[in-house]
Amino acid sequence: MEFYLDTADVHAVRKLNRVLPIVGVTTNPSIIAKEKRPAFEVLAELQDIIGERGQLFAQTLSREAEQMVEEALQLREKFPSIVVKVPTTPEGIAAIKMLTEQHVPTLGTAVYGAGQGFLAALAGAKYVAPYVNRIDAQGGNGVETVRELQRLLDLHKPDSMVLAASFRTPRQALDCMLAGCRSITIGTDVAEFFLADPAVFAALDKFDADWNSAFSKLVF
Ligand code: G3P
């Protein structure tokens, strides 16, 4: 199972990387734009925090396949192990095919349907990212899309992975993992939800109180 943070907030990544078993960080143009700093500067800091073995993802900006390929190569020149996210449009799928021929690992992103994601995988994408919450928000079923896509990959393209993205709640993320997907990226808000159940701290307060009433000091 690969767990990623979907953010370019270096302070949040530093803090959560200390606690969570993440293997890397995913970004997209909106996420990087929020930082209001040069993209390569932000990406370099993220890579530094997650270490050279941490997996970084960044997305192309162009709409034309040839330009997407050029941008992908620029990203790879600066960050040799980066996985390039390519929107799964017809031009994007063409770019994924070209990049696969050049041995550049890609993630087909902005996936709203199992068939669309499956084609990106067949074109060579190492990962495909269905947008779970955005699918739900437009009246679809994000988890069901993940389940179908995972099944298609298991049957026909087992070397590609569903990397489920776009979550509002921990429940959506859990349901994707239960549907069999083996990689997932969550925003810092959802990560905090996973970690911040107030009942846990209430339980610890009770342990402290019981210990203190017996021994007066919270030490062995
Ligand atoms: O990278 C894709 C993902 O970040 C989209 O998430 O939360 O903007 O729907 P969201």
Side-chain angles (χ1 to χ4, degrees), residues 23-52:
V23 295
V25 170
T26 57
T27 67
N28 65 32
S30 306
I31 282 174
I32 291 187
K34 262 194 229 161
E35 302 307 306
K36 298 194 167 31
R37 292 195 289 137
F40 279 15
E41 183 182 306
V42 175
L43 290 170
E45 286 177 30
L46 292 170
Q47 186 75 74
D48 196 46
I49 295 166
I50 60 180
E52 60 183 29

Side-chain angles (χ1 to χ4, degrees), residues 28 41 45 71 85 89 92 107-108 135 152 158 160 165 178 207:
N28 65 32
E41 183 182 306
E45 286 177 30
E71 290 171 358
K85 293 176 69 175
T89 57
L107 174 150
I135 294 170
L152 285 164
S160 294
L178 288 167
F207 291 138

Side-chain angles (χ1 to χ4, degrees), residues 4 42 49 52 115 133 140 161 170-171 177 206 208 213 215:
Y4 296 93
V42 175
I49 295 166
E52 60 183 29
N133 188 65
M161 285 174 85
R171 187 71 249 168
M177 291 185 273
K206 177 78 169 71
D208 291 353
S213 68
F215 303 113

Side-chain angles (χ1 to χ4, degrees), residues 61-182:
L61 300 168
S62 302
R63 298 287 182 100
E64 311 298 329
E66 284 71 20
Q67 276 83 51
M68 289 173 176
V69 170
E70 240 174 66
E71 290 171 358
L73 297 177
Q74 275 174 24
L75 283 165
R76 291 280 293 180
E77 197 183 326
K78 190 85 184 150
F79 306 98
S81 66
I82 206 163
V83 174
V84 181
K85 293 176 69 175
V86 179
T88 310
T89 57
E91 285 295 303
I93 294 177
I96 288 170
K97 283 177 69 174
M98 289 189 251
L99 289 166
T100 302
E101 276 167 23
Q102 298 186 50
H103 307 289
V104 173
T106 54
L107 174 150
T109 193
V111 168
Y112 284 79
Q116 180 202 8
F118 184 49
L119 288 178
L122 290 182
K126 182 173 177 195
Y127 297 92
V128 282
Y131 279 5
V132 177
N133 188 65
R134 295 196 198 189
I135 294 170
D136 287 350
Q138 63 179 34
N141 186 330
V143 172
E144 207 40 52
T145 304
V146 166
R147 193 187 317 279
E148 285 183 1
L149 186 49
Q150 184 64 55
R151 181 89 181 115
L152 285 164
L153 297 187
D154 287 344
L155 287 171
H156 306 293
K157 188 69 175 49
D159 55 331
S160 294
M161 285 174 85
V162 176
L163 197 164
S166 177
F167 295 106
R168 282 297 160 272
T169 67
R171 187 71 249 168
Q172 288 170 317
L174 287 175
D175 285 341
C176 285
M177 291 185 273
L178 288 167
C181 103
R182 291 179 290 117

